[in-house]
């Protein structure tokens, strides 16, 4: 077989002339949590579907190298858009987002105590299909069916059908169809705001370091919030509860050991998302 790289997807050219798309299960997520969430809501996802679930698919997948953004598309299919209808015995409190352990309709399957465990189990199960390699060092095993006897049978999403993960031959292709629709989904207009827009910090040299809090609010962001200070006299840290896509509180601290300075128009903290969204916190004092 001959493999050709095409727009981040792979195609396997068979001797019959048939071309089957092949998208690796292992890799780094592309879709952001906000895109996953907005898309799910647009499809009428159930009330148990939350932004936190999307964040877990993204963060866990990014940390361990599994396409969590495609895995959530599998979950859309397996949970019926998180509505858990159609005679399934699985409920939202089971945190089982992929039918793990469900072999027949009406069977309860595996149960997990948190969103984190449920998403982790799904991504680990996908890992077990994608490769015969052990889990990365430090990744605690929570998937009770990790050693299911079919290790490495499905390195690509399209391989998950035909008796591997599911009996339907087009199971993997249906997952990719949902993913492509999600990636073409038109998100709502993004917003980035800071309050207050001006911060005054003053102190005597070598005295205690004063600080000020700034509220950062992000909406519908497709890229993470970043920030930087134009001056070494002010450091910026994230307060507890900070989220890279919705914001939180930034703590601006005056470094009093650096000497004397009067802030001017060129002294500020920039808060940025992508290439088009930027807010500036002007420094005075």
């Amino acid at each position: 077989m001959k493999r050709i790289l095409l727009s981040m997807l792979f195609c396997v050219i068979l001797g019959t002339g048939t071309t089957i798309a092949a998208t690796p299960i292992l890799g780094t997520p592309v879709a952001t949590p906000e895109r996953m969430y907005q898309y799910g809501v647009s499809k009428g996802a159930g009330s148990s579907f939350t932004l936190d679930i999307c964040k877990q698919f993204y963060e866990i997948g990014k940390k361990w190298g599994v396409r969590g953004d495609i895995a959530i598309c599998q979950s859309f299919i397996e949970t019926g858009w998180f509505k858990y209808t159609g005679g399934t015995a699985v409920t939202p409190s089971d945190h089982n987002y992929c039918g793990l352990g469900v072999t027949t309709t009406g069977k309860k399957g595996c149960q997990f105590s948190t969103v984190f465990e449920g998403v982790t189990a799904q991504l680990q199960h996908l890992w077990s299909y994608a490769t015969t390699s052990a889990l990365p060092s430090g990744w605690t095993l929570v998937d009770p069916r990790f050693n299911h006897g079919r290790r490495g049978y499905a390195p690509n999403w399209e391989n998950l059908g035909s008796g591997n993960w599911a009996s339907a031959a087009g199971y993997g292709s249906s997952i990719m169809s949902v993913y492509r629709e999600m990636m073409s989904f038109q998100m709502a207009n993004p917003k980035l705001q800071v309050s207050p827009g001006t911060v005054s910090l003053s102190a005597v040299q070598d005295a205690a370091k004063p600080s000020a809090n700034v509220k950062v609010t992000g909406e519908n962001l497709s890229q993470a919030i970043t920030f930087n200070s134009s001056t070494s006299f002010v450091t910026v840290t994230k307060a507890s509860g900070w989220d890279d896509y919705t914001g939180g509180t930034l703590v601006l601290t005056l470094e009093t050991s650096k000497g004397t300075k009067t802030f001017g128009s060129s002294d500020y903290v920039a808060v940025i998302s992508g290439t088009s969204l930027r807010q500036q916190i002007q420094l005075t004092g």
Side-chain angles (χ1 to χ4, degrees):
M1 290 190 291
K2 179 180 179 183
R3 294 182 183 270
I4 301 176
L5 180 64
L6 176 61
S7 301
M8 300 303 291
L9 296 178
F10 297 87
C11 291
V12 179
I13 311 301
L14 305 179
T16 60
T18 302
T19 301
I20 301 176
T23 314
I25 289 173
L26 303 185
T28 303
V30 176
T32 63
E34 187 63 37
R35 175 171 290 278
M36 300 177 204
Y37 181 68
Q38 285 195 35
Y39 172 69
V41 170
S42 77
K43 302 296 285 187
S47 59
S48 66
F49 178 65
T50 64
L51 181 59
D52 180 55
I53 291 175
C54 302
K55 290 176 182 177
Q56 298 289 358
F57 272 102
Y58 180 84
E59 296 296 342
I60 299 171
K62 181 180 179 181
K63 182 175 182 179
W64 301 110
V66 184
R67 289 296 302 271
D69 53 346
I70 303 180
I72 199 170
C73 296
Q74 179 186 35
S75 296
F76 287 143
I77 293 172
E78 289 286 352
T79 63
W81 300 97
F82 287 82
K83 294 177 181 177
Y84 302 94
T85 56
T88 181
V90 179
T91 62
S93 62
D94 295 330
H95 303 295
N96 185 345
Y97 307 121
C98 63
L100 195 60
V102 179
T103 55
T104 59
T105 300
K107 183 176 179 179
K108 190 69 169 174
C110 301
Q111 296 171 277
F112 304 98
S113 59
T114 63
V115 172
F116 176 82
E117 284 191 4
V119 173
T120 296
Q122 181 175 345
L123 297 188
Q124 288 180 344
H125 207 62
L126 286 164
W127 179 283
S128 75
Y129 273 97
T131 177
T132 56
S133 299
L135 288 176
S137 177
W139 199 7
T140 303
L141 179 64
V142 299
D143 172 18
R145 303 188 67 249
F146 184 78
N147 294 303
H148 50 80
R150 297 184 69 81
R151 296 290 315 278
Y153 269 55
N156 305 308
W157 290 97
E158 292 81 3
N159 303 137
L160 290 178
S162 301
N164 286 326
W165 189 296
S167 58
Y171 177 74
S173 297
S174 65
I175 294 172
M176 291 308 304
S177 178
V178 173
Y179 174 74
R180 286 189 291 271
E181 184 178 78
M182 180 176 73
M183 294 307 291
S184 63
F185 170 73
Q186 184 63 49
M187 296 176 63
N189 291 332
K191 296 179 182 179
L192 182 64
Q193 298 175 315
V194 297
S195 180
T198 300
V199 168
S200 179
L201 293 169
S202 299
V204 176
Q205 185 176 355
D206 294 323
K209 301 177 181 180
S211 63
N213 293 342
V214 175
K215 177 67 175 178
V216 178
T217 304
E219 296 180 18
N220 309 321
L221 302 182
S222 61
Q223 298 188 56
I225 300 170
T226 61
F227 50 85
N228 62 76
S229 176
S230 68
T231 172
S232 62
F233 278 77
V234 172
T235 59
V236 187
T237 56
K238 304 173 184 177
S240 177
W242 173 269
D243 183 274
D244 285 342
Y245 291 91
T246 58
T249 299
L250 291 180
V251 182
L252 280 57
T253 303
L254 181 64
E255 298 297 327
T256 58
S257 62
K258 288 185 173 292
T260 59
K261 177 180 177 61
T262 300
F263 291 131
S265 59
S266 62
D267 299 306
Y268 58 84
V269 172
V271 182
I272 305 164
S273 174
T275 59
S276 60
L277 293 178
R278 176 189 173 96
Q279 292 291 336
Q280 193 161 292
I281 305 164
Q282 186 63 47
L283 300 173
T284 65

